[in-house]
Structure formats: structure tokens, C-alpha cells
């Protein structure tokens, strides 16, 4: 009798299937999935079995690794990716942005230069919108200046939520009260808040896999890449730091997550300047 994905026995992942999924996740997105994560992987991919009509994890592995499974690989990575974000998360970075970075950016835009900020691994949008709010506080006429915040993520589903810019009351609790009044539109009947057009206007979202080509042109003044590289192994992390440095202007900033650090092999490219905050070392003239 043919098993279906609703059979309990079909929903148990074996070691071979887990290894195939872990290998594919590493190759596709740099995700490291140790053996202890098997139960988590099994749970998160259960809906994908149902969605694709595969009877068991062994069949799903064959499908997702086949040419016909190219689109499904995106959904698989989306299911395996942790999307946790909060407004003004790790507030000390926003203190630096407000006190040290914004005055320099203000000078740039007032002199007619452009400012570019990248939120890499932006999840559902709270980080780039927090950046936008912070900059609007520092530069009231921001919308008339050449400023753009780029939010990228590997997960197309989470980017749709970021574009919608709509959050629950609990999700916006980290925004200071005055900012909530100024920058959010309340739908109290639904218990939701939407980031207003003023804040959204300078934010753009794009799907991007950090392990693949980066199509952006030019350099960034600031990069937020927080709680992203922690999911990569040491060699993958080490390969990313020089790429980030190439994308940051001299003396520009990069902010990492609270448990992340620049690899020793790349520390000469960046100068520590606060808790998990670094400045790009100035390029020496030949």
C-alpha cells in the first residue's frame, strides 16, 4: 500500500534524508545543520511534504535535489530559516547610528552626495524601518535627499511581509511612544499598525542569497548584518568579510549580532568601534 504524507510513519526523517537536506542547505544558503537539529528540520519541512505531495522525506529529498525541484529549494530554505526580528533590536547599535553615524551622513546629503545603507538578512522589515525612523529623527527633510536603505533576505515569503509593513501591537512595542505616534498608522479594529509612507519611501527590498553574486552597484555607508553569519560555518564566514569590506566605503560601518565577531583573518579590514560595531579600515594609497 502506498504511504501518504499523513501517515505517522511517513513523517519520521531518517539519517540519510537528514544528511541530504543538511548538505543541500549548506550548498544553497550556507546553513549549518548539525545532527542535533534533525527534529527541528523534520518539523519545519513537514508542511513542505504536504504542499508538494511527497509521501515521505526520502521522496521529498529526491524531488528537492532534482532539476524539477529548483523552486521548491527556495521554499525549503525559507522553511529552515529562522526569521526573528524586532524594532530597534540591540538598541546600542541605533545609539551609535544616531550619535556617531547620522551627523556624518547628514553632512554628506547636505553637500549633495548620496547615502546608501544595507540591511542584510532583513527578515520581516523591522530593522530597515528602524533605521529609517532613526535617520528621519536626525534628518527631518530626509525625503528630499538621496538616501536609500536596501533590505535583502533569502526568503521571498518573509520579504512579502516586509513590503506589507504591517505589524501587531506586540511587534511594535519596541518603538518609542513618540515614534509610534509619528511613524505608524494604527488600525485599532484589527490590532495592527502599518509603517507610514514617509518611513517606507526610502526603503527597498530585494531577494538575495549572500553566498551568491551581489548585484548591487557602488558602496554602502553602513551595513547591518546581524544574527545572520552565526548560521554559517567558519570558512563561509571568513569568505564573506572581504566581500563586505569591498562594499563598504572607507570609514563606513558594519554592525553584527551580539554573538558574532569578525574573523581573526579579516580583522585588519575592520576596526572595532563599540559592541559588535566595526568601521571599515581606510584603504592605504599604493
Amino acid at each position: 500500500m502506498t504511504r501518504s504524507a499523513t501517515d505517522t510513519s511517513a513523517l519520521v526523517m531518517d539519517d540519510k534524508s537528514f544528511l541530504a537536506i543538511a548538505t543541500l542547505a549548506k550548498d544553497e544558503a550556507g546553513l549549518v545543520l548539525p545532527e542535533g537539529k534533525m527534529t527541528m528540520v523534520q518539523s519545519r519541512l513537514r508542511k513542505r511534504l504536504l504542499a508538494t505531495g511527497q509521501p515521505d522525506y526520502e521522496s521529498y529529498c529526491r524531488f528537492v535535489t532534482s532539476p524539477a525541484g529548483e523552486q521548491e529549494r527556495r521554499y525549503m530554505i525559507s522553511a529552515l530559516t529562522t526569521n526573528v526580528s524586532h524594532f530597534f533590536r540591540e538598541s546600542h547599535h541605533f545609539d551609535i547610528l544616531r550619535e556617531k553615524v547620522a551627523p556624518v551622513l547628514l553632512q554628506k546629503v547636505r553637500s549633495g552626495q548620496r547615502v546608501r545603507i544595507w540591511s542584510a538578512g532583513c527578515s520581516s522589515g523591522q530593522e530597515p524601518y528602524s533605521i529609517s525612523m532613526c535617520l528621519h529623527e536626525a534628518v527631518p527633510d530626509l525625503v528630499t535627499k538621496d538616501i536609500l536603505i536596501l533590505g535583502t533576505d533569502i526568503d521571498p515569503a518573509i520579504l512579502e511581509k516586509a513590503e506589507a509593513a504591517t505589524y501587531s501591537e506586540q511587534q511594535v512595542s519596541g518603538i518609542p511612544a513618540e515614534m509610534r505616534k509619528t511613524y505608524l498608522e494604527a488600525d485599532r479594529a484589527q490590532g495592527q499598525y502599518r509603517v507610514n509612507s514617509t518611513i517606507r519611501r526610502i526603503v527597498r527590498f530585494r531577494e538575495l542569497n549572500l553566498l551568491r553574486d551581489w548585484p548591487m552597484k557602488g558602496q554602502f555607508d553602513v551595513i547591518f548584518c546581524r544574527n545572520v553569519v552565526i548560521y554559517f560555518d567558519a570558512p563561509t564566514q571568513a569568505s564573506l568579510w572581504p566581500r563586505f569590506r569591498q562594499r563598504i566605503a572607507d570609514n563606513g560601518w558594519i554592525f553584527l549580532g551580539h554573538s558574532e565577531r569578525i574573523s581573526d583573518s579579516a580583522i585588519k579590514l575592520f576596526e572595532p568601534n563599540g559592541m559588535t560595531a566595526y568601521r571599515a579600515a581606510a584603504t592605504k594609497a599604493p
Side-chain angles (χ1 to χ4, degrees), residues 23-43:
T23 300
L24 184 58
K26 175 67 165 57
D27 292 343
E28 287 287 313
L31 299 180
V32 177
L33 299 173
E35 291 182 8
K37 296 290 186 180
M38 184 187 291
T39 300
M40 181 272 287
V41 171
Q42 176 179 290
S43 175

Side-chain angles (χ1 to χ4, degrees), residues 221-250:
D221 299 278
V222 183
I223 294 177
F224 282 72
C225 186
R226 305 187 302 171
N227 306 299
V228 176
V229 300
I230 193 174
Y231 295 104
F232 302 152
D233 61 17
T236 303
Q237 291 185 26
S239 71
L240 285 173
W241 304 128
R243 298 182 69 189
F244 278 125
R245 177 60 191 90
Q246 291 176 352
R247 293 293 182 166
I248 305 177
D250 284 356

Side-chain angles (χ1 to χ4, degrees), residues 4-73:
S4 72
T6 56
D7 295 334
T8 303
S9 60
L11 299 182
V12 177
M13 179 176 285
D14 60 17
D15 292 342
K16 183 179 178 181
S17 296
F18 174 76
L19 179 59
I21 293 296
T23 300
L24 184 58
K26 175 67 165 57
D27 292 343
E28 287 287 313
L31 299 180
V32 177
L33 299 173
E35 291 182 8
K37 296 290 186 180
M38 184 187 291
T39 300
M40 181 272 287
V41 171
Q42 176 179 290
S43 175
R44 291 190 179 184
L45 293 185
R46 187 168 295 175
K47 289 183 179 180
R48 299 312 311 159
L49 261 71
L50 298 173
T52 57
Q54 301 301 316
D56 50 42
Y57 286 103
E58 183 179 354
S59 299
Y60 179 79
C61 287
R62 284 197 298 269
F63 171 64
V64 80
T65 54
S66 71
E70 180 178 359
Q71 180 67 19
E72 177 57 25
R73 288 196 287 276

